[in-house]
């Protein structure tokens, strides 16, 4: 019983961590295929046995997450800032991940929008919604949602960068070279700012 | 209707046939021998046997086809938004108790089943009900919510001692869209029917139900004797099956032929269907009351109608009351004849006890309970008529009226009932006091109000007038009135979109102007105070709502550009390009105005206003979801600066009552609007999360004697004092930079007396003003410029409070 609980805590932590850190992962090669990557990353937690409901254990310990995933500094910082957003938003992000894993994009979107009803200015929820639309190849919507996320993302550089990556990819898909070029410039800016 | 007509016609035909047969028989009978009589009788016997058989075959066909093919028309059920309980949510114990009351949860000392709650010192414990949402079924849970300082501190699922982050309560039913024949029905599957109900029906209505074949000869005899001897409980001879047949297939007329049909059909029904199927149909079919023009059919509907609770939550005494109504829903109507109803209920309970279904103790306990009928059905369609009107209009775009009325759709809406109640009460109070103060005769003033959630465009509350009559004119949607100065932010936004030419400090001329109108006449607008203010800064012109400055600015910009901006803000209606447009000769409904301000409030992102979130079919299967649609139609930086200007309206401009009456909530933003001869009084305002648009005026278009400030704004403040909007946050967009200004000139950043304004970074004005109380000795402008830029970067991380302090020069 104890063991299952521990696994559950660990997996929950990993799931959240990876979801939030994913936006931080930003090598060019990764970014060329972020749609697949997202699914693959979250997909690795498919058999964690998590229920499809918004329940998280409040006694989640960041240490456990770190020791399991052993992130580099950048990831570490980003995960901490994301975790400090709010447990409610995290719960919905996790919920959405579970639906995405199950291939149920509609419910993932519904869950994120439910989160936005409670926290309408949470940039993580808007960002996650943008990537969901990107997966659905709803390019224009993905761009708007990423911009919306950026409107509330000041101070979260990795998140902003990820939003620009979404914009870049969706703009490319739309044939909007100018839009993609501008987005790439922003990505570069955030990359250099970091170093 | 047609079915019944056909039925009657067929009956007539049948009787006519048999009459002709008899008369022929009489004619042919004269002068014939006895053997031919016998032959004739035989012939007649065969004919009537054939006719009878054919008739029974026909009835049999009707019974099977109609019983199996029967699809009850189910009204669509409309729900408000569910309450999300989450750790940190601002809700007190008492507020949550109120929510439970509105959901008809019972307050009990100890929890036994769903739909019950129990208050403790710092917590509430409850058992939720199962509820099918669009995304999943929320299973019934035993929950404890702990409160601390008016907020939720923890949520515990007591069944597994798990801490929950969030829990969603089932939503309140706010309305129904009824079938044309006005039937109300809540279908209850047989496995959810309380055993006590089945037992009570058997005990009271049909003791031999499980033994007879549709009719109960013994029962008829017993009923006759009982009725003659006791004079107490009136017993009928009809079996449940007969009663069902009567309700299902036959008319209400009391004729012998109907009785015969009833008996035959009851027997046929029993031949084809199981007792459970018959009982289930009976429970969902039987007539149990009247709600206005609507019949209340079935026990599920009756439970909702009399107790506002699901059937499976009712206690034995409550079930007994519903059973009492079978014999005469109007005669025993508990809302009108409580004594009669109580008496009959207790008779039923004692009958149950006599037959061994209840122990004496339980029967006595149940009999001692009062009726406890709910006051008014919570879904009474008169409760939120204006909102439901908008829901219906939005639904009709996607659903046929037939489906809406008959298919039992479950419609999930955005209505926040707490907000709606606050708005309605505020409207009543404020309108009455304004009428008194302005010496208007009572009832002349009218109001409309729309409250929305800014980022998601959800309509949270909607008031269409002060009377809650469902047939009343829905002013929020249909009162198309000139919007006056509410149009001005679009003019100033258009200016700020040209960052190379305009910023908040740009001087514009507030001087008389004469313009040619479309009919050739000259248009010479005036300021509200009839003064001419000369050169004024852009921000002052908007916050003080100067007409002349606005017209001059608008003409400089070009009417076509202002019209374009209005469309970008979400006005879909055609906008005539007349100069008077600049002062709001544009006619819009409060809802359209809300759409326009929505885009301003949400930073240039346009979200269509929505009332419907999801639609499920009667079995809880998801049909449609109306998700968030969002597009950016105006660039963020210009809207950011306009929003900032609008916050000045609330702090020191025409809406400064906000600063006076809600000082702790600043910054908030908004704009007043007044039309000629004070016909319309408008206010549109918002915080960080909620937008509210108010219109006050008169249906006869006479003067309301109110300006935007003295009327609509005051009501807006009344409402917002209760809704408590979040103060505006100014999360600075990429290319915006804050700089300090004094007397409409940019000054050094360390100037204490100065106020910060946002500018487009590339067009930041030069420092031109001097500051009297500079703290920092270093006078190097270049160095200061550098400092400001560094600060700008830090701003990204600063708290809202810092920005508020800086914005309002609070140090």
């Amino acid at each position: 019983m104890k063991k299952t609980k521990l696994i559950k805590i660990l997996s929950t932590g990993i799931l959240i961590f990876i979801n939030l850190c994913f936006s931080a992962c930003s090598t060019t090669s990764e970014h060329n295929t972020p749609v697949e990557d997202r699914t693959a990353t979250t997909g690795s937690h498919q058999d964690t046995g998590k229920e499809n409901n918004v329940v998280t254990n409040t006694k989640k310990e960041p240490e456990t997450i770190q020791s399991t995933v052993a992130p580099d500094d950048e990831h570490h910082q980003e995960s901490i800032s994301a975790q400090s957003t709010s447990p409610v938003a995290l719960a919905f992000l996790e919920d959405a991940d579970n639906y995405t894993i199950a291939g149920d994009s509609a419910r993932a979107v519904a869950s994120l929008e439910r989160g936005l009803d409670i926290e309408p200015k949470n940039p993580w929820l808007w960002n996650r919604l943008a990537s969901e639309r990107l997966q659905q190849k709803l390019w224009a919507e993905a761009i708007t949602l990423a911009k919306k996320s950026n409107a509330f993302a000041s101070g979260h550089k990795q998140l902003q960068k990820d939003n620009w990556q979404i914009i870049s990819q969706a703009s490319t898909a739309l044939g909007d070279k100018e839009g993609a070029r501008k987005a790439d410039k922003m990505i570069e800016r955030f990359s250099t700012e970091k170093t | 209707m047609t079915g019944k007509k056909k039925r009657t016609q067929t009956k007539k035909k049948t009787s006519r046939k048999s009459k002709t047969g008899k008369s022929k028989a009489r004619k042919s009978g004269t002068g014939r021998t006895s053997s031919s009589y016998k032959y004739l009788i035989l012939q007649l016997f065969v004919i009537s046997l054939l006719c009878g058989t054919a008739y029974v075959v026909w009835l049999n066909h009707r019974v099977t086809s109609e019983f199996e093919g029967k699809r009850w028309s189910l009204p669509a059920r409309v729900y408000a938004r569910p309450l999300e309980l989450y750790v940190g949510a601002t809700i007190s114990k008492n507020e949550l108790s109120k929510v439970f009351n509105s959901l008809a949860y019972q307050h009990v000392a100890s929890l036994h089943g769903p739909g019950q709650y129990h208050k403790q010192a710092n917590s509430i414990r409850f058992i939720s009900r199962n509820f099918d949402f669009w995304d999943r079924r929320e299973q019934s849970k035993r929950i404890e919510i702990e409160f601390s300082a008016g907020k939720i501190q923890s949520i515990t699922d007591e069944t597994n001692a798990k801490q929950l982050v969030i829990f969603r309560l089932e939503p309140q039913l706010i309305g129904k869209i009824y079938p044309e024949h006005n039937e109300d029905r809540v279908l209850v599957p047989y496995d959810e029917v309380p055993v006590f109900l089945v037992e009570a029906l058997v005990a009271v209505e049909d003791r031999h139900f499980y033994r007879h074949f549709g009719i109960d000869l013994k029962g008829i005899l017993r009923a006759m004797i009982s009725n003659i001897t006791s004079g107490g409980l009136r017993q009928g001879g009809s079996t449940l099956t007969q009663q069902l047949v009567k309700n299902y297939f036959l008319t209400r007329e009391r004729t012998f032929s109907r009785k015969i049909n009833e008996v035959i059909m009851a027997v046929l029904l029993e031949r084809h269907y199981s007792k459970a199927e018959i009982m289930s149909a009976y429970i969902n079919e039987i007539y149990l009351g009247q709600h206005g023009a609507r019949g209340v059919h079935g026990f599920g509907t009756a439970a909702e109608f009399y107790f506002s609770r699901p059937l499976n939550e009712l206690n034995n005494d409550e079930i007994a009351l519903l059973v009492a109504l079978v014999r005469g829903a109007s005669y025993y109507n508990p809302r009108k004849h409580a004594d009669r109803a109580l008496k009959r209920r207790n008779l039923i309970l004692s009958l149950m006890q006599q037959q061994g279904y209840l122990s004496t103790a339980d029967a006595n306990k149940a009999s001692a309970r009062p009726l406890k009928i709910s006051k008014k059905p919570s879904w009474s369609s008169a409760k939120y008529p204006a909102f439901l009107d908008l829901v219906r209009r939005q639904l009709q775009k996607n659903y046929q009226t037939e489906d809406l009325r008959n298919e039992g759709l479950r419609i999930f809406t955005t209505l926040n009932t707490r907000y709606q109640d606050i708005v309605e009460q505020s409207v009543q109070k404020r309108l009455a006091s304004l009428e008194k103060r302005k010496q208007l005769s009572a009832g002349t003033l009218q109001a409309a109000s729309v409250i929305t959630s800014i980022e998601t465009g959800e309509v949270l509350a909607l008031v269409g007038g002060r009377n809650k009559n469902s047939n009343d004119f829905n002013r929020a949607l249909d009162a198309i009135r000139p919007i006056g100065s509410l149009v001005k932010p679009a003019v100033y936004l258009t200016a700020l979109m040209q960052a190379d030419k305009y910023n908040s400090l740009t001087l514009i001329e507030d001087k008389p102007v004469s313009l040619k109108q479309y009919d050739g006449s000259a248009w010479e607008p005036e300021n509200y105070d009839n003064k001419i203010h000369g050169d004024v800064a852009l921000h002052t012109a908007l916050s003080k709502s100067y007409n002349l400055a606005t017209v001059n600015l608008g003409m400089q910009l070009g009417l076509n550009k202002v019209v374009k901006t209005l469309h970008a803000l979400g006005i879909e209606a055609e906008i005539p390009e007349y100069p008077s447009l600049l002062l709001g000769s544009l006619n819009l409904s409060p809802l359209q105005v809300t759409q326009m301000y929505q885009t301003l409030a949400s930073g240039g992102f346009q979200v269509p206003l929505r009332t419907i979130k999801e639609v499920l079919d009667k079995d809880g299967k998801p049909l449609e979801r109306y998700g968030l649609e969002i597009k950016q139609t105006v660039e963020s930086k210009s809207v950011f600066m306009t929003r900032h200007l609008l916050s000045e309206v609330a702090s020191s401009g025409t809406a400064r009552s906000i600063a006076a009456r809600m000082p702790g909530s600043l910054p908030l933003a908004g704009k007043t609007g007044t039309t000629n001869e004070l016909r319309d009084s408008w206010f549109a305002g918002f915080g960080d999360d909620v937008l509210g648009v108010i219109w006050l005026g008169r249906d006869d278009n006479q003067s309301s004697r109110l300006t935007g400030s003295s009327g609509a704004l005051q009501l807006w403040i009344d409402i917002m004092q209760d809704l408590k909007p979040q103060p505006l946050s100014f999360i600075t967009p990429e290319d915006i930079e804050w700089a300090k200004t004094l007397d409409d000139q940019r000054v050094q950043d360390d100037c204490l007396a100065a106020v910060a304004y946002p500018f487009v970074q590339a067009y930041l004005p030069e420092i031109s003003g001097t500051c009297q109380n500079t703290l920092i000795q270093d006078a190097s402008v270049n160095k200061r410029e550098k400092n400001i830029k560094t600060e700008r970067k830090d701003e990204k991380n600063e708290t809202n409070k810092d920005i508020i302090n800086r914005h309002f020069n609070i140090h």
Side-chain angles (χ1 to χ4, degrees):
Chain A
M1 192 62 188
K2 252 188 170 177
K3 205 176 167 187
T4 339
K5 204 176 174 187
L6 188 71
I7 292 172
K8 218 165 187 183
I9 295 168
L10 282 175
S11 57
T12 310
I14 294 164
L15 199 70
I16 296 165
F17 175 76
I18 290 183
N19 170 51
L20 296 171
C21 281
F22 184 79
S23 50
C25 302
S26 56
T27 60
T28 325
S29 63
E30 254 182 53
H31 193 64
N32 286 340
T33 51
V35 178
E36 291 74 18
D37 271 5
R38 273 160 214 278
T39 324
T41 319
T42 43
S44 62
H45 296 267
Q46 202 152 5
D47 47 6
T48 51
K50 271 220 67 66
E51 287 168 47
N52 246 359
N53 57 16
V54 190
V55 176
T56 58
N57 198 311
T58 47
K59 286 173 187 165
K60 219 178 294 155
E61 288 172 24
E63 287 81 11
T64 324
I65 300 161
Q66 285 162 31
S67 61
T68 319
V69 183
D72 58 34
D73 277 351
E74 185 180 308
H75 289 163
H76 187 177
Q77 277 175 12
E78 194 63 22
S79 73
I80 286 171
S81 61
Q83 291 220 1
S84 65
T85 52
S86 84
V88 176
L90 287 179
F92 282 113
L93 288 166
E94 191 190 326
D95 209 23
D97 282 347
N98 289 330
Y99 283 127
T100 308
I101 291 163
D104 192 343
S105 189
R107 278 189 172 77
V109 168
S111 189
L112 293 165
E113 289 186 8
R114 205 181 135 201
L116 284 171
D117 274 345
I118 297 169
E119 289 192 24
K121 288 181 189 283
N122 186 304
W124 306 96
L125 291 169
W126 286 106
N127 164 269
R128 183 68 180 73
L129 203 53
S131 37
E132 203 60 42
R133 294 305 188 200
L134 193 73
Q135 276 195 9
Q136 295 172 316
K137 298 188 175 166
L138 297 168
W139 312 118
E141 278 186 48
I143 292 173
T144 311
L145 292 164
K147 283 184 182 172
K148 191 79 190 171
S149 171
N150 267 344
F152 307 124
S154 65
H156 302 292
K157 291 197 168 57
Q158 287 307 324
L159 185 65
Q160 290 184 60
K161 190 169 153 188
D162 186 66
N163 284 327
W164 284 113
Q165 283 169 338
I166 291 170
I167 294 167
S168 163
Q169 204 188 350
S171 301
T172 310
L174 280 174
D176 175 11
K177 283 183 188 163
E178 178 56 29
R181 200 185 54 78
K182 198 189 155 200
D184 289 339
K185 226 173 141 184
M186 294 304 288
I187 296 166
E188 209 180 300
R189 205 182 104 185
F190 279 109
S191 303
T192 48
E193 261 186 31
K194 199 71 214 168
T195 53
Chain B
M1 265 309 258
T2 15
K4 280 177 189 170
K5 264 186 192 168
K6 272 184 193 166
R7 256 177 258 146
T8 337
Q9 279 169 0
T10 332
K11 258 184 266 163
K12 277 180 186 166
K13 272 182 194 169
T14 328
S15 56
R16 226 180 284 140
K17 266 184 193 170
S18 57
K19 268 184 189 172
T20 340
K22 276 179 193 169
S23 62
K24 269 184 187 170
R26 260 202 306 276
K27 276 181 191 170
S28 60
T30 51
R32 297 259 173 130
T33 59
S34 63
S35 65
S36 59
Y37 267 124
K38 275 178 194 167
Y39 178 72
L40 196 69
I41 289 166
L42 190 70
Q43 216 175 13
L44 268 174
F45 177 73
V46 172
I47 288 171
S48 33
L49 197 71
L50 282 174
C51 283
T53 315
Y55 186 60
V56 171
V57 168
W58 177 75
L59 281 183
N60 187 52
H61 170 73
R62 263 195 67 194
V63 163
T64 49
S65 63
E66 285 185 32
F67 192 81
E68 273 163 34
K70 176 91 175 183
R71 284 179 72 226
W72 279 296
S73 296
L74 298 175
R77 298 164 73 82
V78 186
Y79 295 95
R81 72 168 53 226
L83 179 65
E84 301 269 16
L85 301 168
Y86 54 93
V87 178
T90 311
I91 186 164
S92 67
K93 198 178 78 178
N94 286 340
E95 282 167 337
L96 186 58
S97 310
K98 271 188 204 162
V99 173
F100 281 129
N101 291 338
S102 67
L103 291 172
Y105 273 55
Q106 285 188 298
H107 187 236
V108 292
S110 64
L111 302 174
H112 295 296
Q116 298 182 336
Y117 77 103
H118 173 66
K119 277 197 275 187
Q120 286 168 326
N122 285 320
S123 67
I124 288 188
R125 295 173 60 235
F126 64 95
I127 301 181
S128 67
R129 295 178 178 131
N130 283 334
F131 194 86
D132 287 321
F133 284 97
W134 186 87
D135 52 342
R136 63 165 164 257
R137 164 170 276 216
E138 219 59 91
Q139 297 288 355
S140 169
K141 281 193 175 114
R142 185 187 279 259
I143 302 276
E144 181 177 20
I145 307 257
E146 283 184 305
F147 299 88
S148 170
K151 289 188 174 194
I152 293 179
Q153 196 182 27
S154 71
I155 307 170
T156 314
D157 181 350
E158 291 190 335
T159 40
N160 53 13
K162 245 187 190 171
Q163 293 291 311
L164 305 184
V165 173
I166 184 155
F167 182 78
R168 177 169 50 173
L169 271 182
E170 79 258 26
Q172 193 183 327
L173 182 63
I174 51 164
K176 294 186 181 185
I177 302 170
Y178 290 98
E180 264 168 30
H181 49 85
N182 267 327
E183 257 186 31
D184 193 3
R185 200 185 307 270
V186 178
L187 275 190
V188 185
Y190 190 61
D191 53 4
E192 286 177 25
V193 172
V195 178
F196 189 78
L197 171 60
V198 177
E199 288 173 351
L201 286 171
V202 172
V204 179
E205 294 295 327
D206 186 0
R207 258 189 242 184
H208 303 115
F209 176 69
Y210 291 105
R211 293 197 291 274
H212 64 62
F213 55 96
I215 47 172
D216 180 14
L217 298 172
K218 269 190 210 164
I220 295 171
L221 210 70
R222 196 198 63 242
M224 280 168 70
I225 296 165
S226 158
N227 286 346
I228 295 163
T229 52
S230 75
L233 184 67
R234 247 187 73 220
Q235 292 193 7
S238 288
T239 62
L240 289 175
T241 323
Q242 280 172 280
Q243 291 182 33
L244 175 62
V245 164
K246 207 169 7 181
N247 269 270
Y248 227 80
F249 304 102
L250 304 171
T251 54
R252 278 173 185 260
E253 53 179 354
R254 284 173 174 252
T255 61
F256 186 68
S257 65
R258 202 216 61 176
K259 194 74 190 169
I260 294 290
N261 280 337
E262 181 189 304
V263 169
I264 299 170
M265 287 170 107
V267 175
L268 289 169
L269 204 65
E270 291 270 350
R271 267 186 61 80
H272 290 289
Y273 304 101
S274 70
K275 291 284 181 188
E277 283 170 310
I278 291 167
M279 180 59 91
S280 173
Y282 180 90
I283 283 169
N284 284 306
E285 172 66 30
I286 207 81
Y287 172 82
L288 292 169
Q290 194 70 26
H291 180 206
R294 274 168 226 119
V296 176
H297 288 267
F299 282 87
T301 325
E304 197 180 77
F305 180 65
Y306 294 108
F307 299 107
S308 298
R309 275 154 56 216
L311 182 60
N312 58 10
E313 280 181 23
L314 299 190
N315 303 324
N316 290 348
D317 56 300
E318 292 162 330
I319 292 173
L321 176 78
L322 297 186
V323 174
L325 297 171
V326 169
R327 211 42 84 74
S330 149
Y331 186 79
Y332 294 112
N333 181 351
R335 288 202 176 92
K336 275 192 186 154
H337 312 292
D339 288 348
R340 263 183 222 169
L342 188 78
K343 226 174 176 178
R344 172 135 180 110
R345 183 200 74 176
N346 290 350
L347 265 168
I348 285 168
L349 287 167
S350 76
L351 204 64
M352 294 292 285
Q353 183 258 323
Q354 281 165 28
Q355 293 186 35
Y357 292 109
L358 268 182
S359 68
T360 315
D362 284 349
N364 289 342
K365 219 167 113 184
S367 300
R369 289 207 188 103
L371 284 181
K372 279 179 103 175
I373 302 294
S374 62
K375 270 183 197 144
K376 205 177 169 188
S378 57
W379 34 267
S380 157
S381 57
K383 202 158 182 201
Y384 305 115
F387 181 82
L388 286 173
D389 181 25
L390 181 56
V391 169
R392 216 172 283 125
R393 291 189 205 190
Q394 294 192 339
L395 276 173
Q396 268 161 0
K397 287 180 191 160
N398 295 310
Y399 291 90
Q400 296 192 339
T401 319
E402 273 293 288
D403 294 344
L404 282 180
R405 287 166 168 269
N406 300 316
E407 294 303 313
L409 298 180
R410 305 165 74 189
I411 296 147
F412 291 80
T413 72
T414 56
L415 183 79
N416 182 322
T417 48
R418 189 176 78 86
Y419 283 19
Q420 178 74 25
D421 294 343
I422 288 172
V423 177
E424 283 177 7
Q425 284 160 17
S426 308
V427 166
Q428 297 301 336
K429 265 195 213 159
R430 178 55 67 173
L431 258 53
S433 88
L434 285 174
E435 279 169 348
K436 230 180 211 175
R437 199 182 313 158
K438 298 286 170 186
Q439 292 171 331
L440 290 162
S441 30
T444 43
L445 259 187
Q446 268 300 348
S449 167
V450 186
I451 308 287
T452 61
S453 138
I454 287 172
E455 307 300 345
T456 58
E458 292 176 358
V459 178
L460 303 173
L462 190 126
V463 168
R466 65 198 292 189
N467 315 318
K468 281 193 6 175
N469 181 337
S470 55
N471 296 322
D472 200 19
F473 180 46
N474 193 347
R475 291 160 196 82
L477 316 186
D478 300 327
I480 315 283
R481 314 283 297 211
I483 64 169
S485 297
L486 289 194
V487 80
K488 284 179 185 166
V491 181
Y492 289 79
L493 172 63
T494 312
L496 291 170
M497 279 155 84
Q498 300 178 32
D500 54 337
K501 291 188 189 139
Y502 299 94
N503 61 39
S504 302
L505 306 183
T506 308
L507 293 177
I508 46 178
E509 292 177 311
D510 188 68
K511 64 170 192 189
V513 59
S514 179
L515 295 160
K516 219 181 203 178
Q517 277 291 70
Y518 58 97
D519 58 359
S521 63
W523 181 57
E524 292 173 352
E526 286 172 352
N527 277 327
Y528 185 72
D529 58 5
N530 287 321
K531 288 180 185 160
I532 293 157
H533 305 95
D535 284 352
V536 289
L538 201 119
H539 69 92
T540 312
L542 181 60
S543 76
K544 306 280 185 207
S545 203
Y546 291 152
N547 289 341
L548 297 180
T550 307
V551 172
N552 282 316
L553 176 65
M555 294 313 288
Q556 260 177 41
L557 294 165
L559 287 172
N560 58 339
K561 285 204 175 125
V562 176
V563 169
K564 213 175 142 194
T565 305
L566 281 164
H567 285 310
L569 288 173
I571 305 296
E572 283 173 357
E574 207 177 310
I575 305 169
E577 287 183 20
Y578 305 134
S580 58
L581 163 72
L582 299 167
L583 297 185
S585 65
L586 177 63
N587 294 350
L588 295 176
S589 70
L591 193 73
Q592 286 171 308
V593 169
T594 312
Q595 183 73 70
M596 170 186 167
Y597 274 78
Q598 184 83 31
T599 314
L600 280 174
S602 70
F605 291 89
Q606 202 188 101
V607 190
L609 300 181
R610 302 180 287 163
T611 55
I612 305 159
K613 297 185 89 166
E614 289 120 9
V615 179
L616 269 64
D617 74 4
K618 64 176 187 299
D619 303 316
K621 205 179 113 220
L623 288 182
E624 198 93 35
R625 188 165 179 279
Y626 299 87
L628 194 60
E629 282 174 50
I630 180 165
K631 56 185 176 190
Q632 185 161 21
T633 53
V634 191
E635 51 179 12
S636 300
K637 56 184 178 206
S638 324
V639 178
F640 181 83
M641 291 184 291
T642 311
R643 246 166 53 112
H644 180 261
L645 294 186
L646 290 174
S647 72
E648 194 174 307
V649 177
S651 62
S652 57
T654 52
R656 59 187 172 276
S657 306
I658 294 179
R661 290 181 59 198
M662 320 176 58
S665 305
L666 291 180
L668 298 171
K671 185 72 196 82
T672 49
T674 312
T675 61
N676 291 345
E677 290 155 46
L678 308 182
R679 286 198 180 104
D680 306 275
S681 162
W682 287 95
F683 188 73
F686 51 91
D688 217 29
D689 48 352
V690 192
L691 162 70
V693 172
I694 311 278
W695 168 85
L696 301 184
R698 292 172 57 161
D699 285 348
D700 59 9
N701 208 21
Q702 296 299 305
S703 173
S704 69
R705 300 179 194 172
L706 295 167
T707 62
S709 308
S710 65
L713 171 62
Q714 300 310 319
L715 173 57
W716 187 90
I717 297 173
D718 296 342
I719 293 166
M720 292 299 169
Q721 278 176 335
D722 280 342
L723 299 193
K724 299 186 175 58
Q726 291 289 312
L728 278 182
S729 64
F730 288 101
I731 304 173
T732 319
E734 273 306 310
D735 17 21
I736 289 288
E737 191 156 331
W738 291 84
K740 288 220 167 164
T741 71
L742 190 67
D743 298 333
D744 298 332
Q745 287 186 318
R746 188 175 162 208
V747 293
Q748 293 149 8
D749 190 54
D750 45 25
C751 184
L752 274 185
V755 181
Y757 275 89
F759 297 93
V760 173
Q761 202 179 1
Y763 301 101
L764 198 66
E766 293 293 312
I767 291 180
S768 54
T770 46
C771 183
Q772 303 300 316
N773 53 352
T774 307
L775 278 181
I776 296 172
Q777 301 302 312
D778 186 354
S780 159
V781 172
N782 282 341
K783 194 170 178 185
R784 285 208 183 101
E785 289 262 24
K786 204 179 156 194
N787 285 344
I788 296 169
K789 273 187 183 153
T790 326
E791 193 198 58
R792 201 199 132 259
K793 277 186 184 167
D794 295 340
E795 261 165 22
K796 307 279 178 185
N797 292 321
E798 74 191 335
T799 62
N800 195 24
K801 204 177 163 193
D802 293 333
I803 299 171
I804 298 162
N805 288 346
R806 190 156 40 78
H807 172 57
F808 289 99
N809 200 17
I810 307 160
H811 289 277

